[in-house]
Amino acid sequence: KNQVEQSPQSLIILEGKNCTLQCNYTVSPFSNLRWYKQDTGRGPVSLTIMTFSENTKSNGRYTATLDADTKQSSLHITASQLSDSASYICVVSQYYNTDKLIFGTGTRLQVFP
Amino acid sequence: EAGVTQSPTHLIKTRGQQVTLRCSPISGHTSVYWYQQALGLGLQFLLWYDEGEERNRGNFPPRFSGRQFPNYSSELNVNALELEDSALYLCASSPWTSGDQETQYFGPGTRLLVL
C-alpha cells in the first residue's frame, strides 16, 4: 500500500533553534517527493521538490534530503523563526500517476520565543 | 499575480443536502486539483481536471463530482452530504498537464461543516 508517514507528529522548539522533520514512504514506483508548509487555515505552500536523483535541495533556511534507497526524507529548518510555526507536509507522487499525490499527515511545528 | 481563489470560505450544511464549491486557478494554469483535508488527517486527493476533462480521481464515492469550465475555473459538487464530509476542501492549480515537476499552488480552501 502506498503510504507516507511523518514523524514526529508534533514538535515544540525555541526560536533560533534548529530542527529536523522525518518522512518515510512506501510509494512505488517513485517519481518525486515534495515538502509543503501549511499555515493554520491556509492552503499548503511548496518548499522543495526532489526527484530520484536528487539528494538534497535547499530553500532559504529549509533543507530537504532524500535517500531513495531507504525511502526516507528529512526537512531541516535552521535558526527557526516564529513564522515557521505551521504544519509541514511530505508529499510523494508515483511514476505514471504523478497527479495523484500521496500526502503524509504532517508534522505540527510550534516555535516559541 | 493573483493566486488560486476559492469560494465560499466557510459553509454550513445539513445531512442530505448538496453543496457546490468553486475554484479559480492562477491565470495560465490549465490543471485544477481538488483535495479533502478532514480534521487530523492528511490531504486526500479527490479529482484532477485539465482542459475541461476529468483526468484522474481519488478513492471517493460518485456523489463527489465536479467539472472544469472553458476558462479553467472549476466546481466541486458533493451530493447527499454526510457528517464525515466535514472538512477543509482545497483546490490547487498547476501550469501544465504533466504534474511531475510542476508545483501545485493551493488556494485558501473552503471549510465545510455538515450538521
Side-chain angles (χ1 to χ4, degrees), chain B residues 31-43:
Chain B
S31 282
V32 171
Y33 312 81
W34 286 97
Y35 295 91
Q36 181 195 67
Q37 187 176 34
L39 191 64
L41 299 178
L43 279 79

Side-chain angles (χ1 to χ4, degrees), chain B residues 35-110:
Chain B
Y35 295 91
Q36 181 195 67
Q37 187 176 34
L39 191 64
L41 299 178
L43 279 79
Q44 302 292 320
F45 170 77
L46 264 167
L47 291 159
W48 167 37
Y49 290 96
D50 183 72
E51 298 286 355
E53 300 285 332
E54 182 181 303
R55 303 294 187 181
N56 208 343
R57 185 182 180 86
N59 296 324
F60 282 84
R63 58 190 186 83
F64 287 84
S65 65
R67 54 180 174 168
Q68 186 179 33
F69 299 97
N71 66 354
Y72 303 115
S73 67
S74 177
E75 285 182 352
L76 173 70
N77 298 295
V78 187
N79 295 321
L81 284 167
E82 300 177 2
L83 296 179
E84 53 265 34
D85 295 334
S86 296
L88 178 68
Y89 288 84
L90 288 162
C91 170
S93 73
S94 71
W96 58 307
T97 56
S98 174
D100 189 28
Q101 284 295 311
E102 290 299 329
T103 296
Q104 293 185 12
Y105 297 85
F106 284 81
T110 293

